[in-house]
Amino acid sequence: LEFPMRTNYMYARMKRSVINEIFALTICLWLKPGEGSGLGTPISYAVPGQANELVLMEWGSNPMELLINDKAVTVPITLTDGKWHHVCVTWSTRDGVWEAYQDGVKKGSGQNLSAWSPIKPGGIFMLGQEQDTMGGRFDITQSFLGELSDLQFWSRVLTANEIHTQATCGGHLVGDVMSWSEEQVELHGGLTELPFEVVFNKLYGRKTLVCGHAYSFSFSTHFKMIFFSKLK
């Protein structure tokens, strides 16, 4: 999913929301930063009465932060080279323990991040914008700039080995809370649609391998969005 510019109207919404309280989690996704200062907000989850229930963001000259229930910690992940990177964060209500991984390597950890306070269900999970109220009031300076793909959300803390396997394409686990598929991502923003061939050749070329496997592609309107489906 490509966000070619900062806006206060382009975003994607996950159709499936959180249906149960979350006492532990792992969220992983592939990110490619755009040109400019700060990545913006790749993911945000807001619930009634709490816009910052779960947010990963990096805006302006500030470091990347993980927010849970409006409490924040600095995440020691740096994405400045314009290349794709695999990013994972984990968290547990028990002592508020958290970890951050980049390309399968643990970069930092800590505790006391919203300890003993589970993530509430029934909210809106969004890609590309930080929600100041549930589902809206976007700040253009905090919007995501770049590309993202393969969001997976689990209701448990993955092991370091499981995360490394995802990052190095040794396997692919599917999130039990949310997972990346064309049917689960709802697009907004009204970008002008380009012909599929133009987008495909511009972004990926005619021969593309993802994790060493051949993939087929489909194109969705509004965003330049390519969904990967492994060929049998």
Side-chain angles (χ1 to χ4, degrees):
L1 200 111
E2 183 185 32
F3 293 79
M5 66 188 82
R6 297 192 192 279
T7 74
N8 60 0
Y9 56 85
M10 287 193 297
Y11 66 95
R13 175 175 172 173
M14 301 301 291
K15 294 181 181 179
R16 183 179 179 183
S17 187
V18 176
I19 59 176
N20 299 306
E21 284 187 313
I22 299 292
F23 296 90
L25 66 81
T26 302
I27 294 179
C28 296
L29 72 165
W30 288 90
L31 291 173
K32 182 181 179 183
E35 296 182 0
S37 176
L39 190 69
T41 308
I43 62 173
S44 69
Y45 175 64
V47 298
Q50 180 52 268
N52 294 325
E53 187 71 3
L54 172 61
V55 182
L56 184 66
M57 66 184 303
E58 178 192 72
W59 62 287
S61 59
N62 301 297
M64 187 175 291
E65 291 183 328
L66 172 65
L67 291 83
I68 294 179
N69 193 23
D70 207 29
K71 307 297 189 299
V73 294
T74 297
V75 177
I77 289 176
T78 304
L79 307 177
T80 58
D81 58 5
K83 297 179 181 179
W84 283 100
H85 293 278
H86 189 256
V87 172
C88 291
V89 292
T90 74
W91 172 81
S92 172
T93 54
R94 183 167 183 171
D95 295 326
V97 174
W98 62 271
E99 296 177 331
Y101 293 78
Q102 181 175 339
D103 299 326
V105 177
K106 186 163 74 172
K107 295 293 186 178
S109 62
Q111 56 185 16
N112 297 322
L113 175 58
S114 292
W116 314 108
S117 178
I119 291 172
K120 295 180 284 293
I124 294 176
F125 196 100
M126 195 171 289
L127 309 175
Q129 297 286 353
E130 193 273 333
Q131 304 170 67
D132 283 339
T133 60
M134 194 173 80
R137 282 186 60 190
F138 307 140
D139 183 341
I140 191 172
T141 65
Q142 297 175 338
S143 64
F144 177 72
L145 177 64
E147 299 174 57
L148 60 83
S149 186
D150 196 29
L151 170 79
Q152 304 291 342
F153 185 169
W154 295 267
S155 59
R156 66 182 179 92
V157 175
L158 267 62
T159 66
N161 184 63
E162 286 175 317
I163 291 173
H164 184 266
T165 298
Q166 306 298 301
T168 57
C169 302
H172 189 258
L173 297 174
V174 176
D176 63 316
V177 180
M178 295 179 193
S179 63
W180 185 257
S181 71
E182 188 170 2
E183 293 77 21
Q184 293 299 321
V185 183
E186 180 181 280
L187 306 174
H188 299 264
L191 293 183
T192 302
E193 180 181 0
L194 295 176
F196 171 77
E197 293 81 4
V198 173
V199 176
F200 177 80
N201 291 331
K202 176 178 181 293
L203 297 180
Y204 298 96
R206 295 186 178 277
K207 295 181 179 180
T208 301
L209 293 178
V210 178
C211 290
H213 301 289
Y215 282 71
S216 62
F217 302 85
S218 62
F219 178 69
S220 290
T221 60
H222 301 300
F223 289 99
K224 300 169 186 175
M225 189 169 190
I226 304 295
F227 292 93
F228 297 90
S229 301
K230 186 176 179 182
L231 297 175
K232 303 293 185 181

